[in-house]
Amino acid sequence: MTTILVTGGTGVLGRPVTERLRADGHEVRVLSRHAQPYAVDLVAGGSGLDAAVAGVDTIVHCATSPRGGDEKAAENLIAAARRAGVRHLVYISIVGVDRVPFGYYRSKLAVERLVEGSGLGWTTLRATQFHDLLVMLFQGLSKPPVMMLPAGVSDQPVAVAEVAERLAALAVGAPAGRVDDLGGPEILTFPHLARAYLAATGRRRPLLNVPLFGKAYRAFRAGGHLTPGRAVGKGTFGEHLADRFGGSRGKG
């Protein structure tokens, strides 16, 4: 069995990746800002990062922050991986990072390029957005009495467990470069997804489709973040809502 380091290993994706790898008998180290014994800030780097990477065969890089710093974190991780002689670096990215001029997507694309040029064996998987992200978005959008949605936008949410399973399989294989995208099973409009969320949480809100502006919005509206040819996920958003909210209904 190999020794695998999972960055962001306590996060939404990193935790199930870690669990899957450990269930398969691999030694897994979890790196995050607060998880001992490998509590490391990747943006800061330092000797703690070298200690975390020492003796590691494969790194699964799940750590990310929409607030910035991903590129510096990747640079530090790659440098430490080179020093340690890591064989394989696996990176999780997002479908559409090369088509949607959105700030966070641009950062993810920049990290992809750093991984590709790292001199390490590498694998990059792009996935569509997780079900949990949509739930978080709708939680915020449903706070006002009217739920405003970006007009003309659809989404293709995927189960985080399915992405974790795919990453774990890639981690124990040979470096494969850019692999096929992993998209959720359904492409649904925002009003459809919002109504499903409202029904699951017992809320009632009128929906208002609001046209937005800018290149990023036009790219989302054009479906740049979707991968209809790779709708290979199994778990639907409706099933996720049922699992998460069950028979209970919120008020609002």
Side-chain angles (χ1 to χ4, degrees), residues 149-152 208-214 217 221:
L149 305 173
L208 178 62
N209 293 304
V210 181
L212 302 177
F213 302 94
Y217 169 64
R221 184 166 180 149

Side-chain angles (χ1 to χ4, degrees), residues 91 98 106 108-118:
Y91 180 56
D98 54 345
R106 284 173 169 158
K108 297 290 284 188
L109 180 60
V111 174
E112 282 190 14
R113 290 171 175 163
L114 289 170
V115 169
E116 292 169 16
S118 65

Side-chain angles (χ1 to χ4, degrees), residues 5 27-40 48 51-53:
L5 175 70
E27 179 184 343
V28 182
R29 299 178 187 176
V30 170
L31 183 151
S32 76
R33 284 192 296 268
H34 306 292
Q36 296 294 344
Y38 303 110
V40 175
V53 173

Side-chain angles (χ1 to χ4, degrees), residues 51-122:
V53 173
V56 165
D57 180 74
T58 297
I59 297 172
V60 183
H61 186 29
C62 297
T64 186
S65 174
R67 295 183 297 276
D70 278 10
E71 293 166 59
K72 181 60 177 176
E75 289 171 354
N76 289 338
L77 181 65
I78 288 167
R82 286 177 182 152
R83 291 191 292 268
V86 170
R87 177 187 67 89
H88 189 188
L89 175 58
V90 181
Y91 180 56
I92 179 65
S93 189
I94 305 171
V95 170
V97 292
D98 54 345
R99 298 191 296 263
V100 179
F102 181 57
Y104 180 54
Y105 280 30
R106 284 173 169 158
S107 179
K108 297 290 284 188
L109 180 60
V111 174
E112 282 190 14
R113 290 171 175 163
L114 289 170
V115 169
E116 292 169 16
S118 65
L120 304 168
W122 61 276

